[in-house]
Amino acid sequence: MFGVTVRVKAASVVVVLGVLASAQTPLVPPIDSERADRLTGLYAFEDGSRFHVTDLRDLLGGSPTLSITEYASGRLRALFPNEGGFSAGSGWFRRDPVSFAVAFDETTRHPASLVWEEKGIRRTARRVAMEERRFVVTHEGARLAGTLTVPPGPGPHPAVVLIPGSGPLTRRTPRYMGDLLTAYGIAALTVDKRGTGESTGSWNALSHREWAADVHAQLDWLARQPGIDPSRLGIVAGSEGGFVGPVVAAERKDVRVLVCRVCSALPHPEVILDMESAAMRRAGLSEPDIARGVALLRQLMRFALEGTDYARVLSAASGGEGARWREAVRLRTIPPENGAYWNTYRGVLAVDPRDHYRRLTIPVLAILGERDERLLIDKHRAAFNVLREGAIPITLWEVPGASHGLLLDESTHPGYPPGFHDRLASWLASQLR
């Protein structure tokens, strides 16, 4: 069906790729990194309900920290280590009061089961079986590494590549969605971004076009894998990955579906201005100071894209030494006119996702959060609707009360909407049958 909008209750929406709610989150005592790797994975109770044990070290400065995502309830809980295993508190990073305890069977390298005790009731959960294959390719001077999870059975299976958001993310965080998709019969490739994990290169010097080329290489490798159906491939992109996913999907004939979670339908410069002005407002800057900061950002982006009026960049920055508005613009020193910085900056500004969405004839699922502080829902809903009026097969899901991480109650007891992940996995599986 073309152009479907689904306004759903918070109890039945979709989330992928978790984002931490606050930089002020209390830290959990870290565990040994090798132990964290052993314990992470997808588990299921006897009634079939699933949850994922995820290592959040990429989001916590490299400190191995386990967190449980319960897909059915949306509950998120960090695991605090103790002598008997782990305990979870009343909130994501709250130790007390204890809500439940888990004890893994650590007699084998990868625990096959754990015991979960909550409100005096003990339940056993078992690790969900799936094959793991090592992904390594050399592409344009960089070594790209990751993991392909494959459902049981000979296949051929449909398969997706997960494109993460911004920052130095490895395969660890996306696995919480990739493993669930594999349980739904979809092989999932999660990759360390350049310069993270086992991949070489630099993630923060990569243009969106270069990032798209990396994804092409991942899809090419995926299509050659035994047990994978090369005619049923898909892309699941999130946040900044939304400037990459539509580019790749529009350039390939073997990609059958695109999921874009909290992805922009507008050019990156416009998103940056919205995001940074909102951040300045939250920081308490006056409206005149916000206007000065935004004016400087506009000039920086204009020069990066057009290479003209460098004098206007210097003029917009002048007189701001020590001022709050100048500190809010994260580029502390203006690079020289012929500096390499401008080429790098241009590379993350130049892609207009609308140009690539217009070329798509495959099903697209776009997911927006009602309270997204980075992508203003009214603007992006309108932009997606314009694309749909052009007969682009976009289904739009709006998540009431959700942040950019698609979390509810982010400032108090953050969690995902109940049933959220399963609904997404089911939708994707139906498109790839």
Side-chain angles (χ1 to χ4, degrees), residues 252-274:
R252 299 185 71 99
K253 295 182 179 180
D254 54 0
V255 170
R256 288 262 305 271
V257 63
L258 169 65
V259 174
C260 223
R261 177 196 67 88
V262 290
C263 299
S264 175
L266 296 169
H268 205 178
E270 187 167 345
V271 175
I272 290 173
L273 291 176
D274 287 340

Side-chain angles (χ1 to χ4, degrees), residues 44-264:
F45 292 114
E46 289 183 358
D47 65 3
S49 59
R50 304 182 184 98
F51 60 91
H52 198 274
V53 179
T54 309
D55 181 2
L56 298 180
R57 74 178 76 177
D58 294 345
L59 306 177
L60 292 173
S63 176
T65 303
L66 298 184
S67 176
I68 281 182
T69 303
E70 297 177 71
Y71 300 112
S73 68
R75 187 166 59 163
L76 284 169
R77 292 292 184 268
L79 295 182
F80 290 80
N82 54 44
E83 290 184 5
F86 297 86
S87 64
S90 61
W92 195 2
F93 283 84
R94 298 185 182 185
R95 182 193 293 269
D96 298 309
V98 172
S99 293
F100 61 86
V102 295
F104 295 86
D105 176 5
E106 299 192 48
T107 58
T108 57
R109 175 166 177 77
H110 290 286
S113 64
L114 60 79
V115 174
W116 181 304
E117 184 171 354
E118 184 171 4
K119 296 180 179 179
I121 299 174
R122 291 165 62 90
R123 294 193 291 168
T124 298
R126 298 196 175 278
R127 186 186 290 267
V128 177
M130 61 186 70
E131 178 190 353
E132 295 190 11
R133 299 182 193 172
R134 190 181 183 208
F135 161 76
V136 178
V137 299
T138 300
H139 180 248
E140 296 185 354
R143 177 179 184 268
L144 305 178
T147 299
L148 174 65
T149 52
V150 184
H157 304 286
V160 297
V161 168
L162 280 80
I163 307 176
S166 60
L169 293 179
T170 70
R171 73 196 82 172
R172 289 189 180 91
T173 306
R175 280 288 297 267
Y176 100 97
M177 193 65 217
D179 287 357
L180 180 65
L181 293 177
T182 303
Y184 272 79
I186 304 169
L189 179 60
T190 52
V191 180
D192 301 334
K193 291 174 71 173
R194 288 193 180 213
T196 73
E198 297 178 9
S199 294
T200 62
S202 175
W203 63 269
N204 60 359
L206 201 63
S207 73
H208 288 156
R209 272 289 180 184
E210 291 168 329
W211 193 356
D214 283 356
V215 177
H216 275 296
Q218 294 160 22
L219 284 163
D220 291 342
W221 178 90
L222 188 57
R224 298 191 300 267
Q225 289 300 294
I228 299 301
D229 185 347
S231 68
R232 291 190 293 158
L233 303 181
I235 293 173
V236 178
S239 194
E240 190 183 358
F243 291 103
V244 177
V247 173
V248 178
E251 293 173 346
R252 299 185 71 99
K253 295 182 179 180
D254 54 0
V255 170
R256 288 262 305 271
V257 63
L258 169 65
V259 174
C260 223
R261 177 196 67 88
V262 290
C263 299
S264 175

Side-chain angles (χ1 to χ4, degrees), residues 204-408:
N204 60 359
L206 201 63
S207 73
H208 288 156
R209 272 289 180 184
E210 291 168 329
W211 193 356
D214 283 356
V215 177
H216 275 296
Q218 294 160 22
L219 284 163
D220 291 342
W221 178 90
L222 188 57
R224 298 191 300 267
Q225 289 300 294
I228 299 301
D229 185 347
S231 68
R232 291 190 293 158
L233 303 181
I235 293 173
V236 178
S239 194
E240 190 183 358
F243 291 103
V244 177
V247 173
V248 178
E251 293 173 346
R252 299 185 71 99
K253 295 182 179 180
D254 54 0
V255 170
R256 288 262 305 271
V257 63
L258 169 65
V259 174
C260 223
R261 177 196 67 88
V262 290
C263 299
S264 175
L266 296 169
H268 205 178
E270 187 167 345
V271 175
I272 290 173
L273 291 176
D274 287 340
M275 183 172 65
E276 296 299 332
S277 59
M280 293 178 200
R281 202 162 279 114
R282 287 194 302 271
L285 271 68
S286 67
E287 290 302 317
D289 276 353
I290 292 172
R292 292 200 67 178
V294 167
L296 175 54
L297 283 168
R298 287 186 188 278
Q299 292 302 326
L300 290 169
M301 290 188 287
R302 179 179 178 183
F303 182 74
L305 289 169
E306 301 175 5
T308 58
D309 291 328
Y310 183 72
R312 289 191 178 185
V313 176
L314 298 179
S315 175
S318 65
E321 294 78 6
R324 292 187 69 194
W325 69 267
R326 183 65 185 87
E327 292 297 314
V329 178
R330 300 170 193 177
L331 188 64
R332 296 290 183 259
T333 303
I334 304 300
E337 186 172 4
N338 59 353
Y341 169 84
W342 301 109
N343 289 332
T344 301
Y345 198 23
R346 183 183 308 115
V348 296
L349 295 174
V351 172
D352 185 340
R354 295 172 297 185
D355 296 338
H356 306 280
Y357 278 119
R358 291 188 185 103
R359 296 167 55 195
L360 293 177
T361 57
I362 60 173
V364 177
L365 174 61
I367 307 168
L368 298 174
E370 181 187 34
R371 296 185 180 179
D372 192 330
E373 67 282 6
R374 301 184 184 187
L375 302 180
L376 305 182
I377 189 170
D378 289 344
K379 296 178 69 170
H380 292 272
R381 179 199 298 120
F384 275 120
N385 281 336
V386 169
L387 291 169
R388 288 160 39 165
E389 288 169 2
I392 310 301
I394 299 175
T395 297
L396 182 60
W397 286 359
E398 301 174 13
V399 186
S403 68
H404 187 68
L406 292 178
L407 296 174
L408 307 178

